Amino acid sequence: MVYFSACSVFAEPDGIGFAREFFDTSKCRAVIGYGKDVDWLEGMLIDLLFLHRFYSHPEPWTHLREIHREVKKAFPRAIALGYQIHLAE
């Protein structure tokens, strides 16, 4: 998994294409990031919410979407910031 804690990594129009190209090149399982510019404090909060859930989950690799949804539910501002997960499938 690669976690891009940077602004606008998945911004349109090329954001989804970037995710697909990154999968093809890196062979990673998932990429996570934002579609909009993010204030560093909000971004850090969202990142820590995800990482805490990921590392405390007994089987995080099979529950990445669920963990991502939990973060957006706990901190709805993440949705407005374009917080995204893309899985290699």
Side-chain angles (χ1 to χ4, degrees):
M1 174 175 62
V2 175
Y3 197 111
F4 290 104
S5 186
C7 297
S8 305
V9 172
F10 299 128
E12 292 301 327
D14 297 323
I16 304 304
F18 169 75
R20 292 289 153 225
E21 286 180 37
F22 193 85
F23 284 131
D24 291 344
T25 303
S26 69
K27 306 299 183 207
C28 69
R29 290 180 168 180
V31 291
I32 300 172
Y34 300 92
K36 297 186 179 177
D37 289 340
V38 181
D39 176 79
W40 76 269
L41 188 57
E42 285 182 312
M44 182 179 64
L45 176 61
I46 295 165
D47 300 345
L48 290 174
L49 286 170
F50 180 87
L51 293 171
H52 172 73
R53 283 168 171 75
F54 179 83
Y55 285 112
S56 63
H57 197 287
E59 296 180 26
W61 290 108
T62 56
H63 294 86
L64 289 173
R65 284 196 198 278
E66 175 187 327
I67 294 167
H68 186 260
R69 274 192 304 268
E70 288 175 4
V71 171
K72 292 192 298 185
K73 186 176 179 181
F75 192 68
R77 177 90 174 112
I79 297 166
L81 296 172
Y83 185 57
Q84 303 173 34
I85 186 168
H86 300 278
L87 302 176
E89 303 189 68

